Amino acid sequence: EPEVTQTPSHQVTQMGQEVILRCVPISNHLYFYWYRQILGQKVEFLVSFYNNEISEKSEIFDDQFSVERPDGSNFTLKIRSTKLEDSAMYFCASSRQGMNTEAFFGQGTRLTVV
Amino acid sequence: DQQVKQNSPSLSVQEGRISILNCDYTNSMFDYFLWYKKYPAEGPTFLISISSIKDKNEDGRFTVFLNKSAKHLSLHIVPSQPGDSAVYFCAAGEVMRGADGLTFGKGTHLIIQP
């Protein structure tokens, strides 16, 4: 069964460093998303990406964040200068037709900023 | 601002009985609702969805009911099985907003007692 894969599963970084979280969405999906879940809190939408551009982003997705689809298979989330409060589980998701179909989530990357 | 609310952080149900998970929403623009299940160290997995043109959708042991006037939906699992123990997230979105992200509730931890 096709699945969304994320690497690494756990990333520890020093405050102020840049991190890149990687995702391989399901191959025939057209919509890509990043969500995050801070420990003990709800899953929060960060950004959606369609047709090689950002479709929608939340207030959380400020100038420190960027997304890229560098090739036909990868979808990345970059955090330029990490802060302690960026520590969270980051989930990548993809869907075939946007809101009309369910999004499939990856297993997540646990980002720990120290 | 909690547009999607799951007021029960946890729920304990005996194996074989019915589990009922509740979700309320405040945004009247939401017209598509989903339930996701999440095991520890894994990403959310899609369970079942319902659009606002319906008031019930059934898939095997899982049934979702939507009461639009009350802005309330519920997920029924019957009979409950030990493998159903997980965190269940209610999520909502607007179909016409295409690639926009989902708004999640905080989740309900369902524990199935043997």
PDB file of all heavy atoms in Angstrom, chain A residues 56-89:
ATOM      1  N   GLU A  56      -1.862  27.731   0.698  1.00  0.00           N
ATOM      2  CA  GLU A  56      -2.377  28.324   1.918  1.00  0.00           C
ATOM      3  C   GLU A  56      -1.343  28.122   3.011  1.00  0.00           C
ATOM      4  O   GLU A  56      -0.624  27.129   3.012  1.00  0.00           O
ATOM      5  CB  GLU A  56      -3.684  27.638   2.317  1.00  0.00           C
ATOM      6  CG  GLU A  56      -4.390  28.220   3.519  1.00  0.00           C
ATOM      7  CD  GLU A  56      -5.121  29.502   3.212  1.00  0.00           C
ATOM      8  OE1 GLU A  56      -5.366  29.767   2.022  1.00  0.00           O
ATOM      9  OE2 GLU A  56      -5.436  30.245   4.157  1.00  0.00           O
ATOM     10  N   LYS A  57      -1.254  29.071   3.914  1.00  0.00           N
ATOM     11  CA  LYS A  57      -0.361  28.890   5.052  1.00  0.00           C
ATOM     12  C   LYS A  57      -1.019  29.484   6.289  1.00  0.00           C
ATOM     13  O   LYS A  57      -1.835  30.404   6.204  1.00  0.00           O
ATOM     14  CB  LYS A  57       0.999  29.524   4.811  1.00  0.00           C
ATOM     15  CG  LYS A  57       0.958  31.012   4.491  1.00  0.00           C
ATOM     16  CD  LYS A  57       2.359  31.514   4.154  1.00  0.00           C
ATOM     17  CE  LYS A  57       2.300  32.996   3.846  1.00  0.00           C
ATOM     18  NZ  LYS A  57       3.654  33.538   3.524  1.00  0.00           N
ATOM     19  N   SER A  58      -0.652  28.937   7.440  1.00  0.00           N
ATOM     20  CA  SER A  58      -1.223  29.419   8.691  1.00  0.00           C
ATOM     21  C   SER A  58      -0.323  30.517   9.265  1.00  0.00           C
ATOM     22  O   SER A  58       0.764  30.807   8.757  1.00  0.00           O
ATOM     23  CB  SER A  58      -1.350  28.271   9.679  1.00  0.00           C
ATOM     24  OG  SER A  58      -0.069  27.873  10.143  1.00  0.00           O
ATOM     25  N   GLU A  59      -0.813  31.083  10.364  1.00  0.00           N
ATOM     26  CA  GLU A  59      -0.029  32.138  11.044  1.00  0.00           C
ATOM     27  C   GLU A  59       1.290  31.598  11.584  1.00  0.00           C
ATOM     28  O   GLU A  59       2.246  32.345  11.762  1.00  0.00           O
ATOM     29  CB  GLU A  59      -0.849  32.690  12.216  1.00  0.00           C
ATOM     30  CG  GLU A  59      -2.057  33.482  11.771  1.00  0.00           C
ATOM     31  CD  GLU A  59      -2.931  33.880  12.950  1.00  0.00           C
ATOM     32  OE1 GLU A  59      -2.646  33.461  14.089  1.00  0.00           O
ATOM     33  OE2 GLU A  59      -3.908  34.613  12.716  1.00  0.00           O
ATOM     34  N   ILE A  60       1.320  30.301  11.832  1.00  0.00           N
ATOM     35  CA  ILE A  60       2.547  29.709  12.372  1.00  0.00           C
ATOM     36  C   ILE A  60       3.659  29.767  11.319  1.00  0.00           C
ATOM     37  O   ILE A  60       4.834  29.936  11.625  1.00  0.00           O
ATOM     38  CB  ILE A  60       2.294  28.234  12.753  1.00  0.00           C
ATOM     39  CG1 ILE A  60       1.174  28.130  13.766  1.00  0.00           C
ATOM     40  CG2 ILE A  60       3.569  27.583  13.278  1.00  0.00           C
ATOM     41  CD1 ILE A  60       0.647  26.723  13.931  1.00  0.00           C
ATOM     42  N   PHE A  61       3.276  29.639  10.081  1.00  0.00           N
ATOM     43  CA  PHE A  61       4.230  29.533   8.970  1.00  0.00           C
ATOM     44  C   PHE A  61       4.761  30.921   8.642  1.00  0.00           C
ATOM     45  O   PHE A  61       4.303  31.568   7.681  1.00  0.00           O
ATOM     46  CB  PHE A  61       3.538  28.888   7.765  1.00  0.00           C
ATOM     47  CG  PHE A  61       4.493  28.419   6.693  1.00  0.00           C
ATOM     48  CD1 PHE A  61       5.052  27.156   6.769  1.00  0.00           C
ATOM     49  CD2 PHE A  61       4.804  29.227   5.608  1.00  0.00           C
ATOM     50  CE1 PHE A  61       5.919  26.710   5.781  1.00  0.00           C
ATOM     51  CE2 PHE A  61       5.670  28.793   4.621  1.00  0.00           C
ATOM     52  CZ  PHE A  61       6.222  27.532   4.700  1.00  0.00           C
ATOM     53  N   ASP A  62       5.720  31.386   9.448  1.00  0.00           N
ATOM     54  CA  ASP A  62       6.253  32.725   9.213  1.00  0.00           C
ATOM     55  C   ASP A  62       7.502  32.654   8.325  1.00  0.00           C
ATOM     56  O   ASP A  62       7.774  31.620   7.711  1.00  0.00           O
ATOM     57  CB  ASP A  62       6.542  33.412  10.555  1.00  0.00           C
ATOM     58  CG  ASP A  62       7.570  32.653  11.398  1.00  0.00           C
ATOM     59  OD1 ASP A  62       8.352  31.858  10.815  1.00  0.00           O
ATOM     60  OD2 ASP A  62       7.591  32.838  12.612  1.00  0.00           O
ATOM     61  N   ASP A  63       8.250  33.739   8.287  1.00  0.00           N
ATOM     62  CA  ASP A  63       9.389  33.826   7.351  1.00  0.00           C
ATOM     63  C   ASP A  63      10.513  32.848   7.676  1.00  0.00           C
ATOM     64  O   ASP A  63      11.421  32.667   6.860  1.00  0.00           O
ATOM     65  CB  ASP A  63       9.954  35.251   7.364  1.00  0.00           C
ATOM     66  CG  ASP A  63       8.986  36.245   6.764  1.00  0.00           C
ATOM     67  OD1 ASP A  63       8.057  35.783   6.056  1.00  0.00           O
ATOM     68  OD2 ASP A  63       9.142  37.454   6.990  1.00  0.00           O
ATOM     69  N   GLN A  64      10.457  32.244   8.860  1.00  0.00           N
ATOM     70  CA  GLN A  64      11.477  31.259   9.206  1.00  0.00           C
ATOM     71  C   GLN A  64      11.262  29.940   8.471  1.00  0.00           C
ATOM     72  O   GLN A  64      12.154  29.115   8.394  1.00  0.00           O
ATOM     73  CB  GLN A  64      11.451  30.979  10.720  1.00  0.00           C
ATOM     74  CG  GLN A  64      11.815  32.155  11.589  1.00  0.00           C
ATOM     75  CD  GLN A  64      13.273  32.531  11.446  1.00  0.00           C
ATOM     76  OE1 GLN A  64      14.118  31.725  11.066  1.00  0.00           O
ATOM     77  NE2 GLN A  64      13.593  33.768  11.723  1.00  0.00           N
ATOM     78  N   PHE A  65      10.046  29.749   7.974  1.00  0.00           N
ATOM     79  CA  PHE A  65       9.691  28.495   7.332  1.00  0.00           C
ATOM     80  C   PHE A  65       9.674  28.645   5.816  1.00  0.00           C
ATOM     81  O   PHE A  65       9.309  29.704   5.288  1.00  0.00           O
ATOM     82  CB  PHE A  65       8.290  28.039   7.778  1.00  0.00           C
ATOM     83  CG  PHE A  65       8.188  27.628   9.217  1.00  0.00           C
ATOM     84  CD1 PHE A  65       7.894  28.569  10.199  1.00  0.00           C
ATOM     85  CD2 PHE A  65       8.360  26.306   9.591  1.00  0.00           C
ATOM     86  CE1 PHE A  65       7.791  28.194  11.531  1.00  0.00           C
ATOM     87  CE2 PHE A  65       8.246  25.916  10.914  1.00  0.00           C
ATOM     88  CZ  PHE A  65       7.965  26.862  11.892  1.00  0.00           C
ATOM     89  N   SER A  66      10.041  27.588   5.144  1.00  0.00           N
ATOM     90  CA  SER A  66       9.856  27.544   3.696  1.00  0.00           C
ATOM     91  C   SER A  66       9.649  26.097   3.280  1.00  0.00           C
ATOM     92  O   SER A  66      10.040  25.164   3.997  1.00  0.00           O
ATOM     93  CB  SER A  66      11.060  28.150   2.952  1.00  0.00           C
ATOM     94  OG  SER A  66      12.235  27.403   3.223  1.00  0.00           O
ATOM     95  N   VAL A  67       9.004  25.922   2.145  1.00  0.00           N
ATOM     96  CA  VAL A  67       8.783  24.586   1.607  1.00  0.00           C
ATOM     97  C   VAL A  67       9.268  24.562   0.164  1.00  0.00           C
ATOM     98  O   VAL A  67       9.306  25.584  -0.518  1.00  0.00           O
ATOM     99  CB  VAL A  67       7.306  24.135   1.664  1.00  0.00           C
ATOM    100  CG1 VAL A  67       6.880  23.843   3.086  1.00  0.00           C
ATOM    101  CG2 VAL A  67       6.397  25.155   1.006  1.00  0.00           C
ATOM    102  N   GLU A  68       9.612  23.359  -0.252  1.00  0.00           N
ATOM    103  CA  GLU A  68      10.146  23.209  -1.589  1.00  0.00           C
ATOM    104  C   GLU A  68       9.829  21.808  -2.098  1.00  0.00           C
ATOM    105  O   GLU A  68       9.748  20.854  -1.309  1.00  0.00           O
ATOM    106  CB  GLU A  68      11.673  23.395  -1.555  1.00  0.00           C
ATOM    107  CG  GLU A  68      12.292  23.764  -2.855  1.00  0.00           C
ATOM    108  CD  GLU A  68      13.789  24.005  -2.730  1.00  0.00           C
ATOM    109  OE1 GLU A  68      14.434  23.381  -1.872  1.00  0.00           O
ATOM    110  OE2 GLU A  68      14.297  24.811  -3.516  1.00  0.00           O
ATOM    111  N   ARG A  69       9.630  21.720  -3.390  1.00  0.00           N
ATOM    112  CA  ARG A  69       9.536  20.414  -4.025  1.00  0.00           C
ATOM    113  C   ARG A  69      10.679  20.371  -5.040  1.00  0.00           C
ATOM    114  O   ARG A  69      10.504  20.711  -6.207  1.00  0.00           O
ATOM    115  CB  ARG A  69       8.184  20.264  -4.706  1.00  0.00           C
ATOM    116  CG  ARG A  69       7.882  18.875  -5.198  1.00  0.00           C
ATOM    117  CD  ARG A  69       6.390  18.623  -5.191  1.00  0.00           C
ATOM    118  NE  ARG A  69       6.020  17.506  -6.041  1.00  0.00           N
ATOM    119  CZ  ARG A  69       6.093  16.232  -5.673  1.00  0.00           C
ATOM    120  NH1 ARG A  69       6.533  15.908  -4.482  1.00  0.00           N
ATOM    121  NH2 ARG A  69       5.712  15.271  -6.490  1.00  0.00           N
ATOM    122  N   PRO A  70      11.855  20.004  -4.574  1.00  0.00           N
ATOM    123  CA  PRO A  70      13.058  20.155  -5.398  1.00  0.00           C
ATOM    124  C   PRO A  70      13.100  19.237  -6.618  1.00  0.00           C
ATOM    125  O   PRO A  70      13.767  19.542  -7.594  1.00  0.00           O
ATOM    126  CB  PRO A  70      14.191  19.815  -4.424  1.00  0.00           C
ATOM    127  CG  PRO A  70      13.559  18.971  -3.369  1.00  0.00           C
ATOM    128  CD  PRO A  70      12.138  19.446  -3.250  1.00  0.00           C
ATOM    129  N   ASP A  71      12.348  18.134  -6.545  1.00  0.00           N
ATOM    130  CA  ASP A  71      12.310  17.231  -7.682  1.00  0.00           C
ATOM    131  C   ASP A  71      10.914  16.636  -7.744  1.00  0.00           C
ATOM    132  O   ASP A  71      10.011  17.107  -7.053  1.00  0.00           O
ATOM    133  CB  ASP A  71      13.392  16.147  -7.554  1.00  0.00           C
ATOM    134  CG  ASP A  71      13.333  15.449  -6.207  1.00  0.00           C
ATOM    135  OD1 ASP A  71      12.216  15.122  -5.752  1.00  0.00           O
ATOM    136  OD2 ASP A  71      14.388  15.235  -5.601  1.00  0.00           O
ATOM    137  N   GLY A  72      10.733  15.593  -8.516  1.00  0.00           N
ATOM    138  CA  GLY A  72       9.386  15.063  -8.685  1.00  0.00           C
ATOM    139  C   GLY A  72       8.875  14.244  -7.529  1.00  0.00           C
ATOM    140  O   GLY A  72       7.716  13.849  -7.536  1.00  0.00           O
ATOM    141  N   SER A  73       9.743  13.993  -6.529  1.00  0.00           N
ATOM    142  CA  SER A  73       9.277  13.089  -5.487  1.00  0.00           C
ATOM    143  C   SER A  73       9.381  13.655  -4.079  1.00  0.00           C
ATOM    144  O   SER A  73       8.590  13.300  -3.223  1.00  0.00           O
ATOM    145  CB  SER A  73      10.050  11.768  -5.557  1.00  0.00           C
ATOM    146  OG  SER A  73      11.435  11.996  -5.415  1.00  0.00           O
ATOM    147  N   ASN A  74      10.328  14.549  -3.819  1.00  0.00           N
ATOM    148  CA  ASN A  74      10.511  15.029  -2.457  1.00  0.00           C
ATOM    149  C   ASN A  74       9.748  16.318  -2.186  1.00  0.00           C
ATOM    150  O   ASN A  74       9.526  17.134  -3.089  1.00  0.00           O
ATOM    151  CB  ASN A  74      12.000  15.271  -2.188  1.00  0.00           C
ATOM    152  CG  ASN A  74      12.783  13.986  -2.119  1.00  0.00           C
ATOM    153  OD1 ASN A  74      12.710  13.270  -1.133  1.00  0.00           O
ATOM    154  ND2 ASN A  74      13.512  13.661  -3.181  1.00  0.00           N
ATOM    155  N   PHE A  75       9.388  16.491  -0.929  1.00  0.00           N
ATOM    156  CA  PHE A  75       8.722  17.706  -0.467  1.00  0.00           C
ATOM    157  C   PHE A  75       9.377  18.051   0.861  1.00  0.00           C
ATOM    158  O   PHE A  75       9.360  17.230   1.779  1.00  0.00           O
ATOM    159  CB  PHE A  75       7.224  17.439  -0.324  1.00  0.00           C
ATOM    160  CG  PHE A  75       6.406  18.606   0.155  1.00  0.00           C
ATOM    161  CD1 PHE A  75       6.495  19.855  -0.449  1.00  0.00           C
ATOM    162  CD2 PHE A  75       5.512  18.444   1.207  1.00  0.00           C
ATOM    163  CE1 PHE A  75       5.734  20.927  -0.016  1.00  0.00           C
ATOM    164  CE2 PHE A  75       4.746  19.507   1.651  1.00  0.00           C
ATOM    165  CZ  PHE A  75       4.859  20.743   1.049  1.00  0.00           C
ATOM    166  N   THR A  76       9.976  19.242   0.948  1.00  0.00           N
ATOM    167  CA  THR A  76      10.769  19.539   2.146  1.00  0.00           C
ATOM    168  C   THR A  76      10.212  20.743   2.892  1.00  0.00           C
ATOM    169  O   THR A  76       9.619  21.648   2.301  1.00  0.00           O
ATOM    170  CB  THR A  76      12.238  19.816   1.787  1.00  0.00           C
ATOM    171  OG1 THR A  76      12.299  20.962   0.917  1.00  0.00           O
ATOM    172  CG2 THR A  76      12.887  18.628   1.094  1.00  0.00           C
ATOM    173  N   LEU A  77      10.444  20.726   4.188  1.00  0.00           N
ATOM    174  CA  LEU A  77      10.140  21.859   5.059  1.00  0.00           C
ATOM    175  C   LEU A  77      11.459  22.328   5.662  1.00  0.00           C
ATOM    176  O   LEU A  77      12.171  21.528   6.282  1.00  0.00           O
ATOM    177  CB  LEU A  77       9.172  21.450   6.168  1.00  0.00           C
ATOM    178  CG  LEU A  77       8.885  22.508   7.240  1.00  0.00           C
ATOM    179  CD1 LEU A  77       8.047  23.653   6.655  1.00  0.00           C
ATOM    180  CD2 LEU A  77       8.151  21.895   8.432  1.00  0.00           C
ATOM    181  N   LYS A  78      11.786  23.593   5.466  1.00  0.00           N
ATOM    182  CA  LYS A  78      13.011  24.157   6.025  1.00  0.00           C
ATOM    183  C   LYS A  78      12.648  25.155   7.112  1.00  0.00           C
ATOM    184  O   LYS A  78      11.759  26.000   6.911  1.00  0.00           O
ATOM    185  CB  LYS A  78      13.829  24.847   4.938  1.00  0.00           C
ATOM    186  CG  LYS A  78      15.177  25.400   5.445  1.00  0.00           C
ATOM    187  CD  LYS A  78      15.832  26.362   4.465  1.00  0.00           C
ATOM    188  CE  LYS A  78      16.362  25.677   3.248  1.00  0.00           C
ATOM    189  NZ  LYS A  78      17.136  26.615   2.378  1.00  0.00           N
ATOM    190  N   ILE A  79      13.347  25.045   8.226  1.00  0.00           N
ATOM    191  CA  ILE A  79      13.238  26.056   9.269  1.00  0.00           C
ATOM    192  C   ILE A  79      14.595  26.718   9.356  1.00  0.00           C
ATOM    193  O   ILE A  79      15.601  26.065   9.661  1.00  0.00           O
ATOM    194  CB  ILE A  79      12.843  25.444  10.637  1.00  0.00           C
ATOM    195  CG1 ILE A  79      11.613  24.548  10.494  1.00  0.00           C
ATOM    196  CG2 ILE A  79      12.549  26.566  11.645  1.00  0.00           C
ATOM    197  CD1 ILE A  79      11.238  23.800  11.763  1.00  0.00           C
ATOM    198  N   ARG A  80      14.623  28.010   9.058  1.00  0.00           N
ATOM    199  CA  ARG A  80      15.916  28.703   8.862  1.00  0.00           C
ATOM    200  C   ARG A  80      16.716  28.846  10.148  1.00  0.00           C
ATOM    201  O   ARG A  80      17.890  28.570  10.179  1.00  0.00           O
ATOM    202  CB  ARG A  80      15.688  30.085   8.259  1.00  0.00           C
ATOM    203  CG  ARG A  80      15.791  30.117   6.759  1.00  0.00           C
ATOM    204  CD  ARG A  80      15.567  31.514   6.225  1.00  0.00           C
ATOM    205  NE  ARG A  80      14.174  31.713   5.869  1.00  0.00           N
ATOM    206  CZ  ARG A  80      13.624  31.228   4.760  1.00  0.00           C
ATOM    207  NH1 ARG A  80      14.314  30.517   3.915  1.00  0.00           N
ATOM    208  NH2 ARG A  80      12.347  31.466   4.492  1.00  0.00           N
ATOM    209  N   SER A  81      16.106  29.288  11.175  1.00  0.00           N
ATOM    210  CA  SER A  81      16.800  29.528  12.437  1.00  0.00           C
ATOM    211  C   SER A  81      15.896  29.022  13.551  1.00  0.00           C
ATOM    212  O   SER A  81      14.976  29.714  13.983  1.00  0.00           O
ATOM    213  CB  SER A  81      17.081  31.034  12.599  1.00  0.00           C
ATOM    214  OG  SER A  81      17.694  31.293  13.843  1.00  0.00           O
ATOM    215  N   THR A  82      16.151  27.800  13.980  1.00  0.00           N
ATOM    216  CA  THR A  82      15.214  27.141  14.882  1.00  0.00           C
ATOM    217  C   THR A  82      15.181  27.802  16.253  1.00  0.00           C
ATOM    218  O   THR A  82      16.191  28.321  16.760  1.00  0.00           O
ATOM    219  CB  THR A  82      15.582  25.662  15.043  1.00  0.00           C
ATOM    220  OG1 THR A  82      16.982  25.558  15.349  1.00  0.00           O
ATOM    221  CG2 THR A  82      15.281  24.873  13.778  1.00  0.00           C
ATOM    222  N   LYS A  83      13.984  27.762  16.826  1.00  0.00           N
ATOM    223  CA  LYS A  83      13.775  28.272  18.182  1.00  0.00           C
ATOM    224  C   LYS A  83      13.341  27.105  19.054  1.00  0.00           C
ATOM    225  O   LYS A  83      12.869  26.070  18.557  1.00  0.00           O
ATOM    226  CB  LYS A  83      12.688  29.348  18.179  1.00  0.00           C
ATOM    227  CG  LYS A  83      12.968  30.517  17.239  1.00  0.00           C
ATOM    228  CD  LYS A  83      11.943  31.621  17.414  1.00  0.00           C
ATOM    229  CE  LYS A  83      10.639  31.330  16.743  1.00  0.00           C
ATOM    230  NZ  LYS A  83      10.698  31.558  15.293  1.00  0.00           N
ATOM    231  N   LEU A  84      13.450  27.293  20.348  1.00  0.00           N
ATOM    232  CA  LEU A  84      13.049  26.212  21.264  1.00  0.00           C
ATOM    233  C   LEU A  84      11.607  25.799  21.028  1.00  0.00           C
ATOM    234  O   LEU A  84      11.265  24.607  21.069  1.00  0.00           O
ATOM    235  CB  LEU A  84      13.229  26.648  22.717  1.00  0.00           C
ATOM    236  CG  LEU A  84      14.658  26.883  23.197  1.00  0.00           C
ATOM    237  CD1 LEU A  84      14.653  27.399  24.634  1.00  0.00           C
ATOM    238  CD2 LEU A  84      15.498  25.625  23.088  1.00  0.00           C
ATOM    239  N   GLU A  85      10.758  26.768  20.745  1.00  0.00           N
ATOM    240  CA  GLU A  85       9.329  26.493  20.562  1.00  0.00           C
ATOM    241  C   GLU A  85       8.996  25.801  19.252  1.00  0.00           C
ATOM    242  O   GLU A  85       7.837  25.463  19.005  1.00  0.00           O
ATOM    243  CB  GLU A  85       8.495  27.768  20.718  1.00  0.00           C
ATOM    244  CG  GLU A  85       8.921  28.907  19.826  1.00  0.00           C
ATOM    245  CD  GLU A  85       9.855  29.890  20.522  1.00  0.00           C
ATOM    246  OE1 GLU A  85      10.710  29.450  21.327  1.00  0.00           O
ATOM    247  OE2 GLU A  85       9.742  31.103  20.248  1.00  0.00           O
ATOM    248  N   ASP A  86       9.991  25.590  18.419  1.00  0.00           N
ATOM    249  CA  ASP A  86       9.774  24.814  17.197  1.00  0.00           C
ATOM    250  C   ASP A  86       9.818  23.315  17.480  1.00  0.00           C
ATOM    251  O   ASP A  86       9.512  22.501  16.600  1.00  0.00           O
ATOM    252  CB  ASP A  86      10.834  25.142  16.136  1.00  0.00           C
ATOM    253  CG  ASP A  86      10.725  26.566  15.615  1.00  0.00           C
ATOM    254  OD1 ASP A  86       9.587  27.077  15.543  1.00  0.00           O
ATOM    255  OD2 ASP A  86      11.768  27.162  15.291  1.00  0.00           O
ATOM    256  N   SER A  87      10.186  22.933  18.682  1.00  0.00           N
ATOM    257  CA  SER A  87      10.214  21.514  19.045  1.00  0.00           C
ATOM    258  C   SER A  87       8.806  20.939  18.945  1.00  0.00           C
ATOM    259  O   SER A  87       7.882  21.439  19.586  1.00  0.00           O
ATOM    260  CB  SER A  87      10.748  21.333  20.466  1.00  0.00           C
ATOM    261  OG  SER A  87      12.091  21.744  20.563  1.00  0.00           O
ATOM    262  N   ALA A  88       8.656  19.914  18.139  1.00  0.00           N
ATOM    263  CA  ALA A  88       7.331  19.340  17.886  1.00  0.00           C
ATOM    264  C   ALA A  88       7.493  18.119  16.994  1.00  0.00           C
ATOM    265  O   ALA A  88       8.575  17.847  16.471  1.00  0.00           O
ATOM    266  CB  ALA A  88       6.424  20.358  17.194  1.00  0.00           C
ATOM    267  N   MET A  89       6.385  17.404  16.812  1.00  0.00           N
ATOM    268  CA  MET A  89       6.314  16.390  15.751  1.00  0.00           C
ATOM    269  C   MET A  89       5.840  17.103  14.497  1.00  0.00           C
ATOM    270  O   MET A  89       4.845  17.826  14.534  1.00  0.00           O
ATOM    271  CB  MET A  89       5.319  15.295  16.112  1.00  0.00           C
ATOM    272  CG  MET A  89       5.832  14.262  17.070  1.00  0.00           C
ATOM    273  SD  MET A  89       7.096  13.196  16.374  1.00  0.00           S
ATOM    274  CE  MET A  89       6.123  12.179  15.274  1.00  0.00           C
TER     275      MET A  89
END
